[in-house]
Amino acid sequence: MKRLATIIIVFFLARNSFGQHVVLISVDGLCPEMYRDKNWPSPNMQALMKAGVHAGYMTSVFPASTYPAHAAMLTGARPDKNGIAYNAPRGSKGAWHWFVKDINTPTLWTIIKQHGLTSAAVQWPISVSGDITWNIPEIWDPKHPEDRITESRKHATKGLLQEVEQLATGKLNSYNMNEVYFSMDANAARAAAYIFTTYKPNFLALHFASVDGMGHTHGRNTDSVRLALANADNGIGIMLEAIERSGLKDSTTVIVVGDHGMTTMHDIIYPNNWIKDLKATFQPSGGSCFLYLDDASNTETVKLVEDRLKKLDSKYRKLFHVYDKAKITEMGGDKDAMLALVAKPGFIFGGSNQIDSLVKVKGGHHGYDPNFEQMHAGFIASGNSIRQGAAIKTLNITDIAPLVATLLGLPFTCPDGKLPKDVLNELKVESSYSM
């Protein structure tokens, strides 16, 4: 009898999966205290937290950076498998990993399309030219990185931006879709709200960039970051209102996530100064950097680099940890990197050869070991199929993909992600594991 009941539940949920909706909102640089501490201006996030499930923290990828983290969210795979180890390809002259084709493993976009469901993305990293039904992707001209609409217009779903401008946002341009100003996140929210109420996609992914932008400019806990968070939280409120007006609240799950943390920085380390005469280069990624050989087969060079690092003056050597290739593999970092340097919080790495190996700097950064407390990202889920008023200790950013797939009733085998069953209510957990 119990088995029959389980089959009936599974059949019912499978039949109705096409009526399920998931809204995934990424607040770039969202740290756990930004919703757990009432002193932060995030009333919508705090309301979602009370109504649903929140995590003490979510662990990002290595290095803890924006594009690798977003790739992991939608693939359930770490950088060594999905191929997105940094924001930009190594050797790039300014282009980032904007195109879905850069990802080596299956994405939620493709799985959703294959099963006849619909999707939408607004200013989502690595979303150009994918299997997305309604798309306003994040992409820019490297000469004008602050302008987030001119290049996006060329790759957006045909006619969608014009429709959004006429009926939701007004004319979008390089001033009101500019990374420097909070209006970019506000307009992204209005665009996403319009798409959701008008087209009712099964899955919508929305990215807010300003919290991270203000963190880079001013540091972790500053007034500018708080203002950016208040603006992003208002954008979440716009989405919640749109879900309410659409009549789909009872069948919609809202997930709010960060992609990495942030630390206030004060010094840049230039490690390539130490290996100028060797056929190897350190690739910087904020709080970490990775060694690549001109000739990958010449592993003797790695030993030479290690010897150089051991012999450094203590004023430099005490500023970072050395991770060997086995450690990088364990953490799912780039499989081509031979070793990594991970700085202590407050120090970051630069790639050029400066006169001085250590230079003062202001602002904030990420890209460290994701297990560092300051790199912890946030997670909140609320709505259909989610437990109410619950807290969990932690989950991994690769767990987002199986969670979304399960909420949509879709099969999706992830290389690294695991379904965080303690986020779901008992009915959804039973159906997921029975399937």
Side-chain angles (χ1 to χ4, degrees), residues 96-343:
W96 283 30
H97 281 299
W98 293 313
F99 295 86
V100 177
K101 65 179 177 60
D102 291 348
I103 300 175
N104 294 335
T105 53
T107 67
L108 281 173
W109 308 124
T110 300
I111 300 300
I112 288 168
K113 182 178 181 180
Q114 287 175 348
H115 287 82
L117 274 64
T118 57
S119 62
V122 177
Q123 291 294 302
W124 190 266
I126 326 180
S127 64
V128 178
S129 302
D131 294 322
I132 304 169
T133 318
W134 299 284
N135 192 12
I136 303 174
E138 179 176 270
I139 185 172
W140 58 86
D141 182 341
K143 296 179 181 178
H144 304 284
E146 71 287 346
D147 176 0
R148 296 302 171 88
I149 196 62
T150 301
E151 286 297 311
S152 180
R153 192 177 296 278
K154 299 175 184 178
H155 298 277
T157 302
K158 186 176 181 180
L160 180 61
L161 260 175
Q162 292 83 345
E163 186 179 338
V164 165
E165 288 173 323
Q166 182 179 357
L167 300 173
T169 64
K171 186 67 175 177
L172 298 174
N173 54 45
S174 60
Y175 296 101
N176 58 28
M177 286 296 287
N178 189 303
E179 188 187 26
V180 176
Y181 303 113
F182 297 156
S183 58
M184 181 177 75
D185 285 353
N187 280 321
R190 295 186 188 101
Y194 172 80
I195 292 170
F196 189 84
T197 55
T198 304
Y199 296 108
K200 299 176 174 57
N202 297 100
F203 176 60
L204 183 147
L206 168 62
H207 176 231
F208 294 137
S210 293
V211 171
D212 176 73
M214 291 300 103
H216 279 295
T217 303
H218 301 285
R220 180 178 174 118
N221 187 358
T222 60
D223 289 343
S224 295
V225 171
R226 289 174 178 270
L227 289 170
L229 181 70
N231 184 63
D233 188 79
N234 184 63
I236 292 171
I238 291 172
M239 278 305 308
L240 295 177
E241 180 182 296
I243 293 167
E244 182 84 39
R245 287 189 285 107
S246 71
L248 300 175
K249 183 177 180 180
D250 290 343
S251 61
T252 300
T253 306
V254 177
I255 304 172
V256 179
V257 295
D259 52 350
H260 52 69
M262 180 70 67
T263 186
T264 299
M265 60 185 180
H266 46 72
D267 286 275
I268 300 181
I269 307 167
Y270 291 96
N272 284 318
N273 266 350
W274 307 326
I275 58 169
K276 288 180 181 179
D277 58 325
L278 301 180
K279 293 184 177 181
T281 306
F282 281 110
Q283 166 83 25
S285 185
S288 58
C289 66
F290 297 79
L291 183 73
Y292 295 91
L293 306 181
D294 294 357
D295 179 0
S297 64
N298 187 7
T299 55
E300 287 297 318
T301 303
V302 179
K303 296 179 181 179
L304 293 174
V305 173
E306 291 174 333
D307 287 341
R308 294 279 177 91
L309 296 174
K310 290 176 182 177
K311 295 175 182 178
L312 280 177
D313 189 297
S314 61
K315 71 176 181 179
Y316 299 122
R317 184 62 191 84
K318 67 182 181 181
L319 303 180
F320 58 86
H321 306 280
V322 179
Y323 290 5
D324 62 17
K325 190 170 182 61
K327 180 69 171 179
I328 297 171
T329 300
E330 175 191 328
M331 298 183 67
D334 186 6
K335 59 187 178 182
D336 293 330
M338 303 307 291
L339 60 81
L341 309 183
V342 179

Side-chain angles (χ1 to χ4, degrees), residues 30-32 35 55-60 258-261 375-379 397:
L30 179 71
C31 303
Y35 54 85
Y57 65 93
M58 182 169 69
T59 303
S60 188
D259 52 350
H260 52 69
M375 289 300 101
H376 289 170
F379 171 88
I397 201 164

Side-chain angles (χ1 to χ4, degrees), residues 32-42 46 49 226:
E33 70 267 22
M34 293 177 177
Y35 54 85
R36 298 181 67 194
D37 184 345
K38 294 181 179 179
N39 291 318
W40 283 84
S42 56
Q46 291 174 28
M49 179 182 74
R226 289 174 178 270

